[in-house]
Amino acid sequence: MAYSRRRFLKTAAAGLSGFGLSSCGWTLAKVQTDRAIATSSNELHIYTWANYIDQELVDTFRTKTGINVVFDVYDSNETMLANFQAGKAKIYSIIYPSDYKVSQMRDLGYLTELDHLRLEGLSDLMPRFQTSIHDPGNRYSVPLSWGTTGLIYHSEKLKDAPTDWNYLWDNKEKLTRRFTLMNDVREVLGATLKSLGYSYNSTNPAELQKAYDRLRELKPAIATFTTDAWRDQLLAGDLLMAMVYSSDAGLAIGQNPKLNYVIPASGTSLWVDTMVIPKTAPNPDAAYAWLNFMLQPEVAAKLTERLSFATTNQAAINRLPEALRSNTTLFPPTAAIDKSESIRPMERDVLEAYDRYWTKLTS
């Protein structure tokens, strides 16, 4: 199992405390209905990022519905989509793409339009997640988690704390071979574009060329491009800094409070991870049972506490401890959000230009 973005916590199930059948708002009739689903197919296959499911979640769902969950993880949206297009993902009834991939998968005809009459709890989502530029009205996806992309660093080893993307270029000699960038073309080029004062989603050929040239200047100092392998190296002190997702940063800081996470002052990307039902889903009824389960505030709150990611569910946020609600790594201030951008879908020719620069940079 690859460790990657939203890294998986190997937490053993600690019983089902806090997840009584009545505490989550599931009536006996609801449970019996979902158990009936399982009589025809008692297995639900899920394809997800690595730290969105743990054993306690799986055990609780099985207790309530009789449905066994089998899940596999991927390390990038591109890997997920490539496996889907290759026909290797037809066993999955739930997939967790990021928001900008939802629109692409929808346009390719891969997703089932959701029946909102079968879903309970969509109204509990924060207002900003009631709709999306990628999926207006959440017709094809249910937002699960959100966050930012930024820099995590060791505060004892870097006394002058970074505040923006330019720090990488201004301090490349000190950082040489001791920091990593993501293995993600849109994030890395986007951050570099932002450091130049451009949009994270620029389609301007001249701006893309400048971003590539700037990255080429930085490349000798970069230890590697990775979305996952930075964590153990940073905890061990072999790395000084890494470009990471906020949810991964929260997990690492939980292991070493001397690590700090910074949202670059000029702005960054705002990502949202979602849950969708593919048209090829072998068990759509169980998929709806899973979506309803995940929309319950009690379930979402407990999962956020255990796996340290920012839920999209306002009713769940209201249940979180104050220390977690005020954690700016997970729930950034409005000023940081206002300067940031969602990763937007792009025309094919623009994406090909991004990919050409990425291939040259990483080869």
Side-chain angles (χ1 to χ4, degrees), residues 118-349:
R118 298 183 65 179
L119 295 174
E120 301 173 7
L122 287 175
S123 61
D124 286 331
L125 296 176
M126 296 169 66
R128 73 170 67 243
F129 302 116
Q130 293 286 344
T131 191
S132 164
I133 60 172
H134 305 284
D135 182 23
N138 294 330
R139 292 174 59 194
Y140 294 88
S141 63
V142 175
L144 172 71
S145 172
W146 66 290
T148 58
T149 299
L151 298 170
I152 189 170
Y153 69 98
H154 200 296
S155 63
E156 284 193 340
K157 296 179 182 294
L158 284 179
K159 299 300 184 181
D160 52 334
T163 59
D164 212 338
W165 298 116
N166 283 331
Y167 184 94
L168 300 175
W169 285 268
D170 295 342
N171 295 273
K172 62 183 178 182
E173 288 79 15
K174 177 170 57 179
L175 296 172
T176 293
R177 313 301 292 176
R178 300 196 70 185
F179 77 99
T180 61
L181 297 183
M182 288 178 172
N183 185 22
D184 188 304
V185 57
R186 294 295 305 276
E187 291 284 7
V188 172
L189 274 173
T192 308
L193 286 162
K194 204 71 174 175
S195 77
L196 291 166
Y198 305 135
S199 168
Y200 221 87
N201 296 289
S202 177
T203 60
N204 184 308
E207 293 176 359
L208 291 177
Q209 179 67 53
K210 289 180 182 178
Y212 167 70
D213 290 342
R214 192 162 207 226
L215 278 168
R216 189 174 58 179
E217 170 195 337
L218 186 65
K219 184 179 178 180
I222 303 169
T224 189
F225 294 94
T226 180
T227 308
D228 57 330
W230 59 268
R231 189 172 186 236
D232 290 341
Q233 295 177 66
L234 189 66
L235 289 168
D238 297 330
L239 291 176
L240 299 175
M241 182 181 294
M243 179 186 183
V244 300
Y245 295 106
S246 54
S247 54
D248 284 340
L251 291 175
I253 291 169
Q255 288 189 272
N256 184 351
K258 293 176 182 177
L259 300 179
N260 289 337
Y261 176 73
V262 172
I263 300 173
S266 60
T268 186
S269 72
L270 290 172
W271 50 262
V272 180
D273 287 336
T274 74
M275 300 176 288
V276 302
I277 302 176
K279 283 186 177 179
T280 53
N283 197 345
D285 289 331
Y288 273 103
W290 180 262
L291 293 180
N292 280 313
F293 172 69
M294 294 295 287
L295 281 166
Q296 294 171 48
E298 178 78 5
V299 172
K302 292 292 184 182
L303 196 59
T304 293
E305 289 187 58
R306 293 199 307 273
L307 299 186
S308 188
F309 63 76
T311 178
T312 59
N313 191 314
Q314 183 61 60
I317 292 173
N318 295 341
R319 293 171 179 260
L320 295 176
E322 173 57 32
L324 200 54
R325 290 201 307 270
S326 60
N327 183 329
T328 55
T329 295
L330 297 185
F331 299 102
T334 301
I337 294 174
D338 289 345
K339 290 183 179 179
S340 301
E341 305 173 59
S342 297
I343 293 180
R344 294 178 175 269
M346 290 183 172
E347 297 295 331
R348 182 174 178 178
D349 60 332

Side-chain angles (χ1 to χ4, degrees), residues 35 55 57-69:
R35 286 193 185 280
Q55 193 61 46
L57 188 73
V58 169
D59 290 345
T60 305
F61 183 71
R62 183 176 60 248
T63 297
K64 292 182 176 186
T65 66
I67 301 172
N68 295 313
V69 172

